[in-house]
Amino acid sequence: MLGLNVITMALHFRYVKNLWNSVMDFFNQIQGLFGTFKIIDAVDILFVALLLFFVFRVIRDTRAMQLIKGIILIAVLYFLVTFLGMSASSYILRSVFANILVLLVILFSPEIRNVLEEMGNGAARSSFFGMIKSGKAIEAMETNKAIDIVIKACVDMSDSKTGALIVFENHTHLREIIESGTIINAKLSRELVENVFFPKAPMHDGALIIRDGRAYAAGCILPLTRNTDISSSLGTRHRAAIGMSQESDAVVVVVSEETGNISIAYGGTLQQNVSSGVMRDFMINKLIPSVSEENTSLVKKFTRRFKK
């Protein structure tokens, strides 16, 4: 019995020693990595991170995103069959991944062409941030399309005197406001906007939040303005629009249920009875920054993205 205990203790000691050696080897490798780490390595990592970020910006909400999910599933299956020792399945999946670059080029050729076209246009070459402008161009295009959709919907709702309250999220993140409503995260369309504010719709009394060119949330509750100098003729929607614009840099559009007039709130100021042309110019000015503004607000936009 004593001999068995000695052998057990010896095995335990050997196991602990091997574990300790493995831990030390790991830390030695980490130390060696940082010992050879240079500035160019940091630049390399940053470049890859930016590249992956903009690739995701381009392919999100497209069929390419579904293909990426399929590739990830195949990768999981490959590791599973390899772990289980399934030789035939491993060989087939290994052959797929051996030609993965060719497959990606074939499958994502439309998306790759769009990215190259955006990077090659004049706006993308206009500054030092040329590569970043490809993602900005796509974002501006989405925002411009959303503006056109909302304007057309507001004109229709103005004619029918359907009350509406639409918020374009800008740099300030509206997480608390979004959480007060229902997240729908749907592709924006004129029909969707008008259906949200249909008088008998369950979310017509709240606000519609537009984020990144999409109808992100509906039925949201906005803070009312505390300004006592507001005209008594303005209703709850207008007061909520002013209050929202006072607490953020969002652009808020209001359609009056009584008069059908369209108003825009920004920076605590309400412009009433605006035309579709004035509405478009104002929203493009506030929501689609110029080249110089994009360069100075780049860090702010990245911070906002990661907070989502």
Side-chain angles (χ1 to χ4, degrees):
M1 179 66 81
L2 180 61
L4 181 60
N5 290 336
V6 172
I7 293 174
T8 303
M9 292 179 62
L11 291 175
H12 286 172
F13 176 77
R14 183 178 179 182
Y15 172 77
V16 173
K17 183 179 179 181
N18 291 337
L19 180 61
W20 173 255
N21 291 335
S22 299
V23 172
M24 292 304 298
D25 289 340
F26 173 76
F27 281 106
N28 288 334
Q29 291 177 3
I30 295 295
Q31 184 178 3
L33 177 63
F34 281 101
T36 58
F37 193 80
K38 301 178 182 178
I39 296 179
I40 191 64
D41 297 322
V43 175
D44 189 21
I45 294 174
L46 179 60
F47 177 79
V48 173
L50 287 174
L51 184 62
L52 293 176
F53 173 80
F54 288 113
V55 166
F56 175 77
R57 283 283 293 122
V58 171
I59 68 174
R60 69 169 191 172
D61 304 323
T62 65
R63 68 181 185 90
M65 200 62 188
Q66 302 301 322
L67 293 174
I68 289 292
K69 294 178 181 179
I71 292 174
I72 294 175
L73 177 60
I74 293 176
V76 173
L77 290 176
Y78 172 71
F79 286 112
L80 180 61
V81 298
T82 301
F83 176 77
L84 296 176
M86 301 168 63
S87 302
S89 300
S90 298
Y91 174 78
I92 294 174
L93 294 177
R94 193 182 303 114
S95 300
V96 172
F97 282 104
N99 302 284
I100 190 67
L101 290 179
V102 178
L103 292 175
L104 289 177
V105 172
I106 295 173
L107 294 174
F108 299 152
S109 56
E111 288 75 15
I112 294 174
R113 183 173 60 252
N114 291 336
V115 171
L116 294 177
E117 288 176 354
E118 293 294 343
M119 292 180 65
N121 62 24
R125 300 192 306 268
S126 60
S127 71
F128 176 75
F129 295 86
M131 178 179 174
I132 296 176
K133 288 298 180 291
S134 61
K136 294 299 179 184
I138 294 175
E139 182 177 350
M141 181 176 63
E142 293 174 350
T143 302
N144 189 71
K145 184 177 180 181
I147 290 173
D148 287 339
I149 290 173
V150 169
I151 290 176
K152 292 176 182 178
C154 287
V155 171
D156 290 344
M157 291 185 291
S158 174
D159 293 339
S160 61
K161 292 186 178 181
T162 301
L165 184 58
I166 304 171
V167 180
F168 278 83
E169 186 183 56
N170 208 352
H171 297 151
T172 305
H173 195 63
L174 304 180
R175 180 177 179 180
E176 294 182 358
I177 302 300
I178 289 172
E179 290 178 347
S180 67
T182 301
I183 295 179
I184 54 179
N185 194 16
K187 181 180 179 181
L188 190 65
S189 66
R190 181 171 60 180
E191 293 78 11
L192 174 62
V193 175
E194 295 180 16
N195 284 335
V196 167
F197 293 107
F198 184 72
K200 295 184 179 180
M203 296 181 289
H204 78 281
D205 281 333
L208 174 66
I209 308 297
I210 308 296
R211 169 186 284 182
D212 297 334
R214 294 177 63 83
Y216 195 79
C220 299
I221 301 175
L222 305 186
L224 298 178
T225 180
R226 298 180 181 178
N227 190 349
T228 57
D229 296 331
I230 300 297
S231 173
S232 59
S233 62
L234 296 178
T236 304
R237 284 193 178 91
H238 293 83
R239 294 176 182 273
I242 297 173
M244 185 76 263
S245 68
Q246 288 174 333
E247 297 187 10
S248 70
D249 61 349
V251 176
V252 189
V253 181
V254 187
V255 179
S256 173
E257 188 174 358
E258 288 77 20
T259 64
N261 292 336
I262 301 175
S263 304
I264 299 180
Y266 181 82
T269 302
L270 183 70
Q271 297 185 34
Q272 300 185 61
N273 197 19
V274 296
S275 64
S276 58
V278 172
M279 181 181 176
R280 176 178 172 75
D281 292 340
F282 183 88
M283 295 173 74
I284 288 178
N285 186 307
K286 300 302 181 182
L287 297 173
I288 304 180
S290 63
V291 173
S292 59
E293 290 174 337
E294 284 181 355
N295 294 343
T296 56
S297 63
L298 183 60
V299 175
K300 183 184 293 185
K301 283 181 176 292
F302 269 111
T303 303
R304 173 175 170 263
R305 296 295 180 196
F306 287 122
K307 285 183 178 180
K308 292 181 183 180

